[in-house]
Amino acid sequence: MDLRNAAGVKVRAPARLHLGFLDLGGSLGRRFGSLGIALERPATEVTVRRSTTDAAEGPDSDRAARARDLVRDKLGIDGRFAIDVDAALPAHGGLGSGTQLALAVGVAVARLSGHDLSPRAVATVLGRGRRSAIGMEAFAAGGVILDGGKALAGPEASAPPPLLSRFPVPESWRILLVFDAAREGLSGPQETAAMATLPPFPPEQAAHLCHRMLLQALPALAAADADGFGSVIGHWQRVLGDHYAAAQGGGRFLSPQVAEAIAAIEAEGIPGVGQSSWGPTGFAIVDGEETAARLAATLRRRFASFTNLSFDCVRGNNQGADIIAL
């Protein structure tokens, strides 16, 4: 998209769920490997305009300004840009707030300056994608995304993980989100330290997870079988939750109250539940809008006394970010 003659650009970037890593040990030469889902909402919304002076306003405007400055420096851009962050994802909530904001600003600045770079190229400029490509691929085209993990050596070691597959989120599926406004997930140095102190991940466990992903979860996804897909996700989440427990307070979930809500969802026969990234956001994969809305209403009544919890029922995003010239 050539935006060199535009006065500015408005970008709406989707939140994403990060469902977990397949191999934390990298016994075959690639580490991590991630699955994620792009969401209809919540979303990051940013307006970037050409200006005579730099400016940045709105929630997380400092992070937006840093992304602008980094892309401008790396690409040798001379212009000045005013940024309005119209809506930002909850920071450190497991929804990809940092990557989506940085990409929204970075892509806008690059394209307004005549650099028609892909989201993956801009993410590389910004230093994103060190462990996972889910955020950049959610921005690029949405869907259910599987990446191939980071190479441990060779020329690929400095590159973001490769995209292995992208399936559309089935139209009938809804993602029930459980938010905890009182907590934040690990990020930055805390996340790095936590990852470094995790116990070794058994290669046989990684092999088992990869086996189920390739020959159970992805075929179920292709057939729009929410329970078949969800049974793998729920199992995977339990394995990873136990592995991460010491780093997040001793449980499978960062938030005990989110854990209670997720247990209530499981009791309704929904197998595809878990926590996105380090949380605190929980999720459930539900087949059918009416079923999901009814379950969300039940949860709001049951957990009304937990004023920090909120629930939303959303579709998947199958197109990625909206980029509109002004």
Side-chain angles (χ1 to χ4, degrees):
M1 180 186 296
D2 189 347
L3 298 174
R4 285 175 292 182
N5 296 322
V9 61
K10 187 174 184 65
V11 182
R12 185 180 190 275
R16 59 85 179 124
L17 298 179
H18 189 283
L19 303 185
F21 293 123
L22 286 165
D23 185 356
L24 287 162
S27 59
L28 296 179
R30 302 196 75 91
R31 194 179 179 202
F32 304 126
S34 306
L35 188 76
I37 302 176
L39 304 176
E40 170 192 45
R41 66 173 183 269
T44 294
E45 297 182 6
V46 173
T47 302
V48 181
R49 291 184 173 88
R50 302 181 194 279
S51 179
T52 55
T53 59
D54 285 336
E57 297 184 353
D60 268 351
S61 56
D62 288 347
R63 285 205 293 180
R66 287 196 295 271
R68 173 198 60 203
D69 297 346
L70 181 56
V71 167
R72 186 167 53 193
D73 178 62
K74 294 285 188 179
L75 298 181
I77 295 167
D78 292 328
R80 298 291 177 264
F81 303 91
I83 303 168
D84 288 312
V85 182
D86 305 306
L89 297 169
H92 316 309
L95 297 170
S97 62
T99 294
Q100 297 310 305
L101 180 60
L103 281 175
V105 172
V107 167
V109 169
R111 294 188 182 180
L112 285 169
S113 305
H115 297 272
D116 190 15
L117 301 179
S118 69
R120 178 173 283 265
V122 174
T124 301
V125 168
L126 290 164
R128 295 282 166 173
R130 290 190 176 96
R131 294 192 187 96
S132 166
I134 300 305
M136 68 181 71
E137 294 298 342
F139 186 100
V144 183
I145 304 146
L146 178 67
D147 76 41
K150 289 282 292 182
L152 298 180
E156 286 188 79
S158 60
L163 174 67
L164 297 186
S165 72
R166 187 195 309 275
F167 286 87
V169 183
E171 179 60 30
S172 65
W173 289 13
R174 296 295 182 270
I175 312 300
L176 180 54
L177 299 172
V178 185
F179 302 108
D180 184 346
R183 293 178 180 267
E184 290 187 350
L186 300 179
S187 64
Q190 285 184 317
E191 180 185 12
T192 300
M195 293 292 286
T197 58
L198 292 176
F201 198 73
E204 60 274 16
Q205 188 68 270
H208 171 69
L209 294 176
C210 290
H211 189 185
R212 292 197 67 178
M213 180 63 61
L214 180 61
L215 292 181
Q216 189 175 6
L218 294 185
L221 174 60
D225 175 1
D227 283 352
F229 180 77
S231 67
V232 180
I233 301 306
H235 170 74
W236 188 22
Q237 284 278 322
R238 289 189 290 275
V239 169
L240 292 178
D242 289 342
H243 190 74
Y244 295 145
Q248 54 187 21
R252 289 176 177 169
F253 291 81
L254 181 72
S255 164
Q257 292 176 329
V258 169
E260 283 192 50
I262 293 297
I265 296 170
E266 279 191 290
E268 295 293 324
I270 306 296
V273 298
Q275 170 181 283
S276 179
S277 188
W278 289 104
T281 303
F283 67 86
I285 300 165
V286 183
D287 192 12
E289 183 173 12
E290 290 186 8
T291 301
R294 185 168 58 250
L295 182 54
T298 299
L299 292 167
R300 291 185 185 105
R301 290 192 298 270
R302 178 169 176 176
F303 295 99
S305 63
F306 291 176
T307 56
N308 54 306
L309 290 191
S310 60
F311 303 89
D312 198 6
C313 190
V314 307
R315 297 173 183 267
N317 173 302
N318 288 324
Q319 67 274 342
D322 293 323
I323 302 173
I324 303 169
L326 302 176

